[in-house]
């Protein structure tokens, strides 16, 4: 079901307000060009499965410490699977996440990149949105 004209205008106004007021948040959530670390995901899933097995085994043999150990292994597996890889930690610690943000944060203008090949989808989409809004 399409939005009415008034709803579309309200949504566009809310998006502009979010972008202009919280440009740091928009840049942070905008997406990243990093690939997921499939090794960490696979190891995390295996740890979760092993933790579930330990939890069930602890309940089956009525040993509380085995169940607790299984839960800890499950929790560690989830953390391992959802944590960013080493490359993402290196980039965030070197200040990569703050380099694409607007310096003043009040005008909402995004710095133009030197080439579009290294930029993410959301950056290009935001630039197109800015060009469209500046044209109105």
């Amino acid at each position: 079901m399409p939005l009415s004209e008034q709803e579309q205008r309200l949504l566009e106004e809310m998006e502009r307000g979010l972008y202009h007021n919280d440009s740091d948040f928009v840049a942070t959530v905008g997406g990243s060009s990093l690939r997921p670390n499939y090794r960490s995901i696979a190891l995390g899933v295996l740890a979760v499965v092993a933790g579930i097995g330990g939890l069930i085994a602890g309940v089956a043999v009525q040993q509380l410490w085995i169940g607790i150990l299984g839960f800890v292994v499950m929790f560690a597996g989830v953390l391992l699977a959802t944590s960013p890889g080493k490359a993402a930690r290196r980039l965030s610690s070197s200040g990569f996440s703050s380099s694409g943000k607007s310096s003043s944060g009040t005008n909402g203008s995004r710095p133009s990149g030197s080439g579009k090949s290294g930029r993410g989808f959301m950056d290009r989409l935001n630039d197109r949105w800015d060009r469209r809004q500046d044209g109105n």
Side-chain angles (χ1 to χ4, degrees), residues 113-132:
S114 58
K116 290 191 175 188
S117 61
R119 298 178 54 209
F121 171 74
M122 290 303 291
D123 289 333
R124 292 192 310 267
L125 192 62
N126 284 332
D127 288 341
R128 283 180 46 199
W129 176 262
D130 290 341
R131 282 194 307 269
R132 188 180 322 145

Side-chain angles (χ1 to χ4, degrees), residues 1 52 60 75 122:
M1 174 181 205
I52 290 173
F75 186 70
M122 290 303 291

Side-chain angles (χ1 to χ4, degrees), residues 51-115:
I52 290 173
L55 190 63
I56 292 172
V59 170
V61 297
Q62 296 180 352
Q63 292 292 321
L64 181 63
W65 65 273
I66 296 175
I68 291 173
L69 183 66
F71 180 79
V72 169
V73 169
M74 258 185 356
F75 186 70
V78 168
L79 289 179
L80 180 64
T82 59
S83 66
K86 292 178 184 176
R89 283 192 293 265
R90 242 184 287 130
L91 288 175
S92 66
S93 66
S94 67
F96 175 75
S97 61
S98 63
S99 65
K101 297 177 191 171
S102 173
S103 59
S104 65
T106 57
N107 61 0
S109 63
R110 296 178 64 89
S112 60
S114 58

Side-chain angles (χ1 to χ4, degrees), residues 10-31:
L10 182 62
L11 179 62
E12 289 172 359
E13 182 180 327
M14 289 169 52
E15 288 174 344
R16 278 193 303 268
L18 174 66
Y19 182 73
H20 289 296
N21 294 335
D22 293 332
S23 61
D24 293 343
F25 173 73
V26 172
T28 302
V29 183

